[in-house]
Amino acid sequence: MGSGGPGLMLACCLLLAFACGPVLGRVPRDQQEQQEEPEGTKEPLPDHTERAEEQHEKYSPRQSEEAPAPRCYRCCDPGASPYPAFPAPQINLTILKGEKGDRGDRGLQGKYGKTGSAGARGHAGPKGQKGSVGAPGDRCKNHYAAFSVGRKKPLHSNDYYQTVIFDTEFVNLYGHFNMFTGKFYCYVPGIYFFSLNVHTWNQKETYLHIMKNEEEAVILYAQVSDRSIMQSQSLMLELRDQDEVWVRLFKGERENAIFSDEFDTYITFSGYLVKHAAEP
């Protein structure tokens, strides 16, 4: 090699030393701490990278320690929620809709609600069609006649027939029965029903007639007996206007009488209109 060879090599070594000097001259941290510990009056200040590592080691949980439990947040706590808000998932219900099920049993009836107030009256509706003719009704009864009278005094026969006079009035509609004469006067022509009830006298004969005008219609008779009994007679008569119906005590060969007293009524005479003459 000529004279220029050693100089060229020297120049290359200087350039290499200049480029690699800072890297080679840097001592690792572990070796530096070992070297400086014996002297140890001060610790060198860590750089930014070392500070970040120390803080990470300080606040990061160790393997032997458990991680702290997450804090619970309520919706009413002030401040923003620590959890990020995610949009609610949208589900297509038409895909999840199944077949229609069977109808269930009917439930129990609920309680009735309070009665509401009456609403306003609505408008009048249209007039309906004329209905069909109904069935004929019954004829109303516009005419009445009725009486019921009694006697509280006994009556004995004398030398002639006697009209039985009644002293007690139970019913006397429109006054058609005359209490003074003892006769019923017909003012409503038609068919009437009459009934006579008397009490016999023991050891005496009972002989009466129900009279229509001056004719005997029916007789009420009881023979002489040791016991007194109730006797009755009834009939229906067709009367015209101003006809008279009354009771007559008959005069016979034997003593004729009917019994009664002032405390009880043993003798009754009744009658009423059954059908008016104008009715069909």
Side-chain angles (χ1 to χ4, degrees):
M1 183 178 292
S3 57
L8 182 59
M9 291 178 62
L10 181 61
C12 291
C13 289
L14 292 173
L15 290 173
L16 182 62
F18 181 78
C20 296
V23 177
L24 296 174
R26 189 174 180 178
V27 180
R29 179 176 177 82
D30 297 336
Q31 297 178 4
Q32 186 178 0
E33 290 178 355
Q34 293 177 1
Q35 294 176 4
E36 293 178 356
E37 282 179 357
E39 299 178 359
T41 57
K42 285 186 180 181
E43 295 181 358
L45 297 175
D47 56 3
H48 295 286
T49 304
E50 293 174 353
R51 291 179 182 177
E53 292 177 356
E54 292 177 359
Q55 292 178 359
H56 178 71
E57 292 177 358
K58 181 179 181 180
Y59 294 103
S60 61
R62 299 176 182 178
Q63 293 182 357
S64 61
E65 299 179 357
E66 296 180 358
R71 183 184 176 185
C72 296
Y73 288 87
R74 297 179 297 177
C75 60
C76 57
D77 291 340
S81 175
Y83 304 102
F86 294 98
Q90 301 294 330
I91 301 175
N92 189 359
L93 298 180
T94 58
I95 300 175
L96 303 178
K97 185 177 181 181
E99 297 180 356
K100 186 176 180 180
D102 298 333
R103 185 174 181 178
D105 298 334
R106 186 173 181 177
L108 300 176
Q109 184 176 359
K111 296 182 178 179
Y112 291 98
K114 297 182 178 179
T115 304
S117 58
R121 186 174 182 179
H123 300 287
K127 186 176 180 180
Q129 299 179 356
K130 186 176 181 180
S132 57
V133 179
D138 297 333
R139 182 185 295 271
C140 296
K141 186 176 181 180
N142 298 323
H143 305 280
Y144 301 93
F147 74 92
S148 182
V149 293
R151 181 183 174 94
K152 291 186 176 182
K153 295 181 180 180
L155 183 63
H156 293 264
S157 62
N158 52 19
D159 295 338
Y160 197 66
Y161 302 111
Q162 295 184 70
T163 302
V164 179
I165 304 299
F166 297 89
D167 53 21
T168 303
E169 184 179 77
F170 299 111
V171 175
N172 191 7
L173 191 61
Y174 308 124
H176 291 181
F177 188 90
N178 193 319
M179 299 294 292
F180 297 99
T181 62
K183 295 182 178 181
F184 171 75
Y185 296 92
C186 177
Y187 296 102
V188 183
I191 298 175
Y192 285 79
F193 176 83
F194 295 96
S195 176
L196 175 63
N197 297 273
V198 299
H199 193 280
T200 64
W201 205 312
N202 55 346
Q203 303 299 332
K204 294 182 181 180
E205 191 177 41
T206 302
Y207 196 170
L208 298 98
H209 288 109
I210 297 179
M211 305 291 294
K212 176 183 176 183
N213 297 326
E214 299 298 327
E215 298 179 359
E216 301 91 349
V218 293
I219 187 174
L220 187 150
Y221 179 76
Q223 293 180 349
V224 178
S225 175
D226 295 336
R227 297 182 303 169
S228 58
I229 59 174
M230 293 294 297
Q231 290 284 92
S232 64
Q233 181 65 278
S234 59
L235 78 161
M236 297 181 71
L237 294 174
E238 184 175 1
L239 303 181
R240 298 180 182 180
D241 190 19
Q242 299 302 319
D243 281 345
E244 301 174 4
V245 178
W246 48 289
V247 179
R248 184 182 70 177
L249 185 65
F250 182 77
K251 171 60 178 175
E253 296 179 357
R254 299 177 182 179
E255 187 178 6
N256 186 17
I258 50 178
F259 174 80
S260 188
D261 59 38
E262 296 181 357
F263 301 99
D264 297 311
T265 303
Y266 290 90
I267 304 169
T268 59
F269 183 41
S270 304
Y272 60 90
L273 177 66
V274 176
K275 182 178 179 296
H276 187 258
E279 294 181 7

